[in-house]
Amino acid sequence: TGLPPCRSMTALFAATRIRAVDFYRRVPKDLTEASVAGGITSLLAVVILLVLIVTQTLNYLAIQRQTDIIVDTSEDAILNINFNVTLPHVSCEWASVDLVDVIGHKRINITDRTVHKYNLDGSYHAPAAKEDTHVHYGDSPLDHYGNTRHAVELTGDTFPKFVADYKVVIVNFHAPWCPHCQRLSPIYEHASEIVHSWKPPGFTGDTSLRMATVDCTTPLNGRLCRKHQIQAFPSVRVFREGTDIHKDATNDDHRELMEKHPFLVLPMLHESYEGPRTAAAMSDFAKQVWKETTGWGLQRALPAPGGGTDGDGDGKHDSKVATKGCMIEGTLAASRVPGKLIIAPHSSGHSFNPELINITHTIHHFSFGPKLPERMGRYLREGMGGAYARPSGVHQGGGYWRARPGHRGMDAGVVFASEVQHITHEHYIKVVPTMYQALGGFPLDTYGYTVNSYKYEAATNMRAGEVHWEAPMVKFSYDLMPMKVVVREHRKPVIEWLTGLSAIIGGVYTCMQIVTSLIGHVNDMYKKMSLGKLG
C-alpha cells in the first residue's frame, strides 16, 4: 500500500477492532437462499410500510387541539347575542324583541338597526323598529255614533255569504273588553256611515262596498277569528271579491305562488288596515280599495305581498299584505351579565287575546360573541355543545345546518311546538367563555354554551275577580360561567414524526423477518415429515 510498516500495522489493528463491534454484519450472497414465501412476505412488508408511513405523515400534518380550563379574568363589558328565529304564528307587526338583565337594564321592543324582521312570504318587513307609540284617533262624536249602528254585525254563520255577495268588505274583528276597540267603535261607525252613502260621480246602482264588524268573543265567532288568524284587537281586514288575499298581484295559482315565494309557510296572505284611526282616513281607504278592485277610474290592480293600498294619497300604504308569521334575525349588544332575550307579542294600539297567540318557533341560529370562521365554529359547536350555533344561511347564500327531507329551508332548524294554549317556552343557556387560538394566528375570544329547553303555562293574574292570562312568549335565559376554556391549535413536532417513522420501519422489518423465519421453519418441518425424517 506504500505505507510504512508501523503505520500499516496500526491501521490493520484499528480496522479489526471496529469490525468486532459491527452490529450489521453482512452475510455473503452466495450463502443466502431466496424463497417464494420470503418474496411474498417482503412485498407485504412494503405495502404495510407504505400505509403506515402515509398514516404517520397525515397524523403529523393534522391540526391538533389542546384544551385547558382557567379562571375567566376578562373585563369585557359587552356580550354580542346572534340569533335567527322564526315564529310561524306571530305576525311581524306584533313580534317584539326585548332584553333585560340582572343589573336592571331593560330594553323593550328594541329598535336596533342590527335586528331585522322578514314576513314569511319572503318580503322584508322592517328593522326591529318600535311601533309608533302614538295611535292617531279621530273625534267622531260618541253620543251619536256610540248609540247607532252603520257597520253590519256579522256572525260565523252570516260571514261567508256576506263577503261573497259584495265586491269589497272591510271587517273590524274586535272584542268588547278591548279598550282600543271601544275607542275605535264610534269612529268605525262614522266611517261606515260615510262609505255606505257614498257613490263615485257618474256611478249608478249599488257600489257593493260594505263595512262590517265581528265580535270574536262568542264561541261561533271565535272559530271564525281563529280561521282568519286574528291575533290582536282591533284587526281591520280587507276582503276583495269574497276573500282576503290568497294570490299576489300577478294572480298566480297556488303552485306558482309557492314557487315565487319560497319562504311562504302558509298560503294565507291577509291585507290589514294600519292607517290612522279616523273616520275620514278609514272611509277614504275603503273607497280607494273599491276603485282598485273594480278598476273604476284607474287600472284594476291588487296589492302584492309586502305592498298595500294608499288611501289618502300621502305616498304611504295604509294597509299591508303579509302572511301570519315572522322571521327575526340579527345581533344585539348586551351587558356581560346574566340576562334574558325575550320575543313576545307587543303593540301600543292593540289588545291581545292570549288564547289566540301560538308561540311555536324554530331556532335556526343562536350564538354569542363574534362570528367565527367555519373551521373554528364547527369545533366549538361539537366540543362545547352550542346546539343552535350553526349558521342559518338564509341571507348568506349557504345551507341550513339541519333540514328535514322534503321541506323548504324555512323548516330547517330546531322546532319547539306549542300543542295547547297559553304555552311559554324558555331556553336556559349556560354560556362558556372560550379563547380559541388558531394555528399561527392570534387568540380569539368567543363563547360556547350548553342549553336546556322547557315549556310551561304562561302566568296568570286576577283582575276584577277574573283570571287573566299573560301572553305566551319565548325566553332565552343566559348566564356566564366563571371559568374559561382555552383551545389552542398546534401540530406535532418533527422529532415526533421522525421517531414514529423509525419505529414503523424497524418494527415492520423485524416483525416480517420473524414471520419469514417462522414460515421457513414450518416449511422445513413439513419436508422432513413428508420424507419420514421428522424426529
Side-chain angles (χ1 to χ4, degrees), residues 81-97:
I81 304 175
N82 314 298
F83 60 95
N84 186 321
V85 179
T86 293
L87 292 88
H89 302 288
V90 178
S91 298
C92 282
E93 58 186 315
W94 317 131
S96 167
V97 180

Side-chain angles (χ1 to χ4, degrees), residues 460-526:
T460 60
N461 55 70
M462 296 293 295
R463 293 199 304 267
E466 296 183 356
V467 176
H468 292 266
W469 292 86
E470 291 186 359
M473 61 188 70
V474 181
K475 299 178 183 179
F476 296 91
S477 301
Y478 57 90
D479 189 8
L480 284 87
M481 299 294 289
M483 311 302 289
K484 174 183 282 189
V485 176
V486 181
V487 181
R488 294 184 177 89
E489 291 184 349
H490 65 90
R491 282 199 175 99
K492 291 182 177 180
V494 177
I495 187 63
E496 188 173 332
W497 175 74
L498 291 174
T499 303
L501 201 62
S502 300
I504 289 172
I505 295 173
V508 171
Y509 180 81
T510 301
C511 290
M512 298 313 289
Q513 201 169 33
I514 293 173
V515 170
T516 303
S517 299
L518 182 61
I519 293 174
H521 183 66
V522 171
N523 187 45
D524 290 341
M525 291 179 63
Y526 176 76

